[in-house]
Amino acid sequence: AQRVTQPEKLLSVFKGAPVELKCNYSYSGSPELFWYVQYSRQRLQLLLRHISRESIKGFTADLNKGETSFHLKKPFAQEEDSAMYYCALRGAALIFGTGTRLQVFP
Amino acid sequence: EAGVVQSPRYKIIEKKQPVAFWCNPISGHNTLYWYRQNLGQGPELLIRYENEEAVDDSQLPKDRFSAERLKGVDSTLKIQPAELGDSAVYLCASSFSGTGLTEAFFGQGTRLTVV
């Protein structure tokens, strides 16, 4: 069975602080993993995917198959990063975690 | 390009009434998803289409929910009759399931309120 777990509902940091949003997954095969973001009053959109190994808006995420994790990181948070972040896994279907709200205070 | 288009954006109905949502995916996308998102939760998959075939509808409450994707393009999701617990945002997404990048693009969603 596929499962995505995001243990934190809310993460609050001050501007300039490092951020790590946790994501753990369960899947028996080779998954594709994604981070989606939803800014206020906007649609859900892709932030990054593990196969691209890219940095988007300063965010990176590394797939750790041993720990079945795909944590999202940014060394210096900005106020405009405040949003809902969803970790997603594509196995047979695309499924999502429950999301983490990131609040970045000035 | 408009992206994935959903209508209506908002719908308020009384319980026991029927309701339908419409989705127009991105041109060329063969995979279409319907999700339900309750307040404070992540999107929950209801049904996935590959072209016109529903390949995963295990999470669709079939006693009251139905969906169709005629000609493998537009799709409709229907609830009949609606219950108070159906109040949520219904999201449609599409992707191209081939080789290469397979990200899903989302519509703005339809916010359903059942009173």
Side-chain angles (χ1 to χ4, degrees):
Chain A
Q2 303 177 217
R3 189 181 183 90
V4 177
T5 303
Q6 294 182 250
E8 305 140 329
K9 275 192 169 298
L10 174 65
L11 185 61
S12 299
V13 301
F14 286 102
K15 176 182 173 181
V19 168
E20 182 179 49
L21 286 77
K22 291 183 168 50
C23 171
N24 288 89
Y25 68 91
S26 173
Y27 184 63
S28 56
S30 294
E32 279 186 82
L33 284 150
F34 306 84
W35 277 97
Y36 278 79
V37 61
Q38 190 167 28
Y39 300 103
S40 180
R41 298 188 183 87
Q42 294 188 25
R43 66 182 68 193
L44 201 55
Q45 58 187 286
L46 180 70
L47 179 63
L48 53 78
R49 72 201 93 205
H50 89 270
I51 59 173
S52 299
R53 302 183 66 80
E54 57 202 343
S55 174
I56 302 295
K57 299 183 179 181
F59 285 96
T60 59
D62 291 319
L63 177 60
N64 185 323
K65 291 186 178 180
E67 297 183 357
T68 60
S69 69
F70 188 55
H71 302 327
L72 183 68
K73 300 178 183 179
K74 184 169 183 176
F76 307 103
Q78 303 298 314
E79 289 179 66
E80 56 265 30
D81 296 329
S82 296
M84 283 294 300
Y85 291 81
Y86 296 95
C87 183
L89 177 154
R90 185 198 304 280
L94 182 63
I95 64 166
F96 289 81
T98 52
T100 298
R101 178 173 296 281
L102 175 63
Q103 289 182 330
V104 182
F105 295 109
Chain B
E1 183 167 10
V4 177
V5 178
Q6 290 186 247
S7 68
R9 287 292 308 279
Y10 304 92
K11 190 74 176 179
I12 301 174
I13 62 170
E14 294 182 342
K15 62 182 180 183
K16 300 185 182 179
Q17 294 302 306
V19 65
F21 314 125
W22 176 78
C23 173
N24 180 229
I26 291 174
S27 177
H29 281 191
N30 53 341
T31 302
L32 184 145
Y33 303 87
W34 281 103
Y35 291 88
R36 176 170 57 190
Q37 187 172 21
N38 292 307
L39 191 63
Q41 300 292 317
E44 298 174 2
L45 182 66
L46 292 173
I47 190 168
R48 173 171 65 101
Y49 282 93
E50 295 292 343
N51 298 305
E52 66 273 14
E53 183 182 359
V55 296
D56 184 356
D57 63 355
S58 58
Q59 302 303 311
L60 190 72
K62 297 182 184 63
D63 57 335
R64 297 183 300 107
F65 285 66
S66 64
E68 61 182 10
R69 190 184 184 196
L70 298 177
K71 300 181 181 179
V73 182
D74 293 3
S75 178
T76 56
L77 177 68
K78 298 178 182 178
I79 309 175
Q80 182 171 11
E83 297 178 353
L84 295 176
D86 295 332
S87 296
V89 176
Y90 290 82
L91 297 169
C92 179
S94 70
S95 68
F96 176 69
S97 295
T99 56
L101 302 179
T102 57
E103 73 177 273
F105 293 82
F106 282 80
Q108 292 275 37
T110 295
R111 182 178 296 279
L112 174 66
T113 302
V114 182
V115 297

